[in-house]
Amino acid sequence: AEGDAVYDAYFKAFPGLRKYFDEVMEETLKKGYITINTTSNRSYSLPTFKRMKAYEKRPEKKSQYLALKSAIGRLALNYPVQGTAGDITKTAVAKFRKWLIAEELFDTVFMTNVVHDEINVESPVEVAEIVAAGLEKCMADAGAIWCKRVKLKAVAAIGDYWAH
């Protein structure tokens, strides 16, 4: 009951998100694939979609139908968010690489790890602030390409070790 209350309050606070989720679910269940984002029109074909549709009109397969429909629904809501986040990060890495070359820092500053939405960089202390600002800008610029409705911001942290 408490979980339902939190869930309901969340969508009450963000009614546009509920509408978006409903539209994504309806579209996915009609087409049989998930549109990851409309910028690239990248999509994911659902391998279980045909089986779900085959079970749809068979009463003896109702539980299997509902299980597949539920699983597809979770994917339909998760893939666009996670896939677009991955696209933003990859775009930011490419932009940051170009920035490093333009700033003549390519042989001095190194991207050592990319995990989810984080880009770990090693640089000399003398240029750390400049590199952090450059990385933040590249990440925000990448976000603007893929996310048109909400301005995304990046925050760089400078430290002696990866503080994930």
Side-chain angles (χ1 to χ4, degrees), residues 1-13 18 21-22 77:
E2 186 178 339
D4 287 341
V6 170
Y7 188 81
D8 292 341
Y10 181 79
F11 285 113
K12 187 175 183 179
R18 166 51 65 202
F21 281 178
D22 290 345
L77 300 179

Side-chain angles (χ1 to χ4, degrees), residues 93-148:
V93 166
K95 285 182 164 298
F96 187 60
R97 181 181 181 276
K98 286 181 182 180
W99 182 86
L100 288 173
I101 292 167
E103 296 296 317
E104 298 182 0
L105 292 169
F106 189 70
D107 292 331
T108 308
V109 176
F110 304 98
M111 287 183 276
T112 58
N113 206 355
V114 178
V115 179
H116 301 294
D117 61 350
E118 294 185 27
I119 302 170
N120 190 39
V121 176
E122 291 185 5
S123 79
V125 172
E126 306 83 53
V127 295
E129 294 288 339
I130 294 166
V131 171
L135 180 58
E136 285 178 354
K137 181 173 180 352
C138 291
M139 291 179 82
D141 289 351
I145 293 169
W146 296 95
C147 186
K148 309 283 189 206

